[in-house]
Amino acid sequence: MADKIRVLVWSEHTAPKEMYPHDINGAVADGLRQDPASFEVSTAELVDPGQGVPEETLARTDVLVWWGHLLHGAVRDETVDRIERHVKERGMGFLALHSAHMAKPFTRLIGDDGRIGGVRHNAGPESIKVLAPDHPVAAGVSDFVIEDEEMYDEEFGCGKPDTVVFHSTFPGGHEFRSGCAYTIGAGRVFYFRPGHEENPTYYREDVRRIIRNAVRWCAGRV
């Protein structure tokens, strides 16, 4: 239990460089590296061998963090098969971020299509309420506001979460289940909503805390 959690942070490398010069996976990895005693962090991209997640890499990964948006369709079925097997059979954790609600690995794992009822850029503040304060992913987290984020609206095709940890509201009465926890086979899966590539969300300390908590939970360490 004292061993570091081996985390692989994956993204497409499609985020704007003026916001994320080292892409989303670079920013998320930097947040995890703030706790070097807990995490051993590496990054991968779609163009890497095995689409960034070959068998030998997954075999030494405790938690796979996944951000995708524009290139969901480029992820091959055999790639998804490998991820699914490592989660369900070996107990690898899987953390889906923002637009990964439509990513093939996430939808396969939760058994739903990831659909959302609406989306709008520059939607104003996102108010995030902690619905399950005793859940480990919410440790040290209080209700907070992200001043500017992309809006998602229900209905969310997110399967049947074990726990909805966070819930978001936006101007105009829009709302969304923004933090969903699942146990799937031998593994744990978490979805966390904020993180549009045109907003500096992944540099926020409250968001980074939630991601660190989620990785620990997905790894079965809390």
Side-chain angles (χ1 to χ4, degrees):
M1 294 295 289
D3 294 341
K4 293 183 181 181
I5 299 170
R6 299 167 298 178
V7 190
L8 180 65
V9 188
W10 187 100
S11 67
E12 302 169 342
H13 213 90
T14 57
K17 291 188 180 298
E18 59 271 21
M19 181 61 67
Y20 291 105
H22 303 290
D23 210 60
I24 298 292
N25 59 350
V28 173
D30 285 347
L32 290 166
R33 290 181 180 126
Q34 290 176 333
D35 187 354
S38 297
F39 305 113
E40 178 184 309
V41 185
S42 56
T43 59
E45 299 174 3
L46 184 64
V47 297
D48 293 336
Q51 298 202 302
V53 285
E55 176 63 30
E56 61 272 18
T57 298
L58 290 178
R60 59 176 183 266
T61 297
D62 298 316
V63 177
L64 175 59
V65 182
W66 192 277
W67 187 98
H69 181 202
L70 299 176
L71 302 177
H72 295 319
V75 178
R76 297 189 291 265
D77 288 344
E78 55 265 34
T79 299
V80 182
D81 292 342
R82 288 195 301 273
I83 294 169
E84 180 183 27
R85 178 170 53 81
H86 277 272
V87 172
K88 290 184 174 180
E89 299 180 10
R90 189 173 64 80
M92 183 183 74
F94 186 86
L95 172 57
L97 298 175
H98 190 60
S99 44
H101 66 90
M102 290 286 287
K104 288 182 179 179
F106 180 65
T107 58
R108 173 85 67 84
L109 287 165
I110 66 169
D112 209 335
D113 60 8
R115 68 192 179 280
I116 59 177
V119 60
R120 190 172 75 243
H121 301 303
N122 302 314
E126 176 178 6
S127 299
I128 300 178
K129 183 175 181 58
V130 181
L131 293 186
D134 293 332
H135 195 282
V137 178
V141 180
S142 302
D143 298 351
F144 65 102
V145 175
I146 298 176
E147 291 76 15
D148 190 26
E149 248 294 356
E150 183 178 52
M151 180 274 288
Y152 287 177
D153 199 10
E154 294 283 350
E155 180 185 14
F156 183 16
C158 61
K160 297 180 179 179
D162 299 330
T163 309
V164 177
V165 181
F166 304 112
H167 181 267
S168 292
T169 55
F170 301 87
H174 305 290
E175 58 183 278
F176 201 77
R177 286 167 285 176
S178 53
C180 300
Y182 309 78
T183 301
I184 298 175
R188 291 176 171 180
V189 173
F190 197 84
Y191 171 76
F192 185 52
R193 197 216 75 86
H196 180 56
E197 65 268 29
E198 296 177 352
N199 299 100
T201 302
Y202 291 117
Y203 300 120
R204 294 177 59 106
E205 181 50 39
D206 42 18
V207 169
R208 287 182 162 186
R209 176 188 292 272
I210 289 169
I211 291 173
R212 291 193 294 268
N213 288 349
V215 167
R216 292 187 184 96
W217 181 80
C218 288
R221 299 295 180 90
V222 290

